[in-house]
Amino acid sequence: MTTNSRLVDATPAQVWDVLSDGWLYPVWVVGAARMREVTEDWPGVGAKLHHSVGMWPVMLDDNTEVLDSSVGRRLRLKARAFPAGAAEVEIRLAAEGARTRVTITEKVVDGPARLVPPPVESAAMKWRNTETLRRLAYVVEGRR
């Protein structure tokens, strides 16, 4: 399991606006290549994003499902990436003055990716989620 955080120059509501627009998912999530469908109830519990992962010409279709959602504060997801497996991802938002601390915690929960040695998994996720938070900050701050 890895945890990354970043301060974003925006309110939790402004960050939530980006998180709650499922069509923006591939803009800020490293690895997501394109969005195919967003269920109307996103980001409600059980809602799904149908996306593709990888790079053209080798892209795989998969989905991410909301496991828990607390508007403006927390989003817990199960992100699938066949054939590697699935991960649970929790995104937490906490106001710090006029800014928001965004924290992402991720752990592999299913599939062959669970066989990756923890130090290797942690290093890869740490890099990936650092870049994911950087992209999220750019999108949120650019919309203000």
Side-chain angles (χ1 to χ4, degrees), residues 5-20:
S5 69
R6 179 185 178 115
L7 273 174
V8 177
D9 289 324
T11 66
Q14 290 169 318
V15 176
W16 187 260
D17 282 345
V18 171
L19 296 178
S20 64

Side-chain angles (χ1 to χ4, degrees), residues 8-43:
V8 177
D9 289 324
T11 66
Q14 290 169 318
V15 176
W16 187 260
D17 282 345
V18 171
L19 296 178
S20 64
D21 183 345
W23 290 101
L24 292 176
Y25 188 78
V27 173
W28 59 271
V29 174
V30 173
R34 67 178 169 212
M35 187 59 54
R36 299 184 335 272
E37 180 185 358
V38 177
T39 59
E40 287 186 30
D41 51 347
W42 181 265

Side-chain angles (χ1 to χ4, degrees), residues 40-99:
E40 287 186 30
D41 51 347
W42 181 265
V45 175
K48 287 186 179 180
L49 298 175
H50 298 274
H51 52 77
S52 301
V53 297
M55 291 177 37
W56 186 89
V58 181
M59 295 204 314
L60 302 169
D61 293 344
D62 230 316
N63 67 72
T64 294
E65 180 179 359
V66 177
L67 300 175
D68 192 27
S69 180
S70 179
V71 176
R73 294 192 320 244
R74 179 174 176 256
L75 187 60
R76 194 165 62 91
L77 309 168
K78 184 168 188 178
R80 292 170 182 83
F82 177 82
E88 284 190 13
V89 180
E90 182 179 47
I91 303 169
R92 292 184 314 274
L93 309 178
E96 288 190 15
R99 302 190 294 174

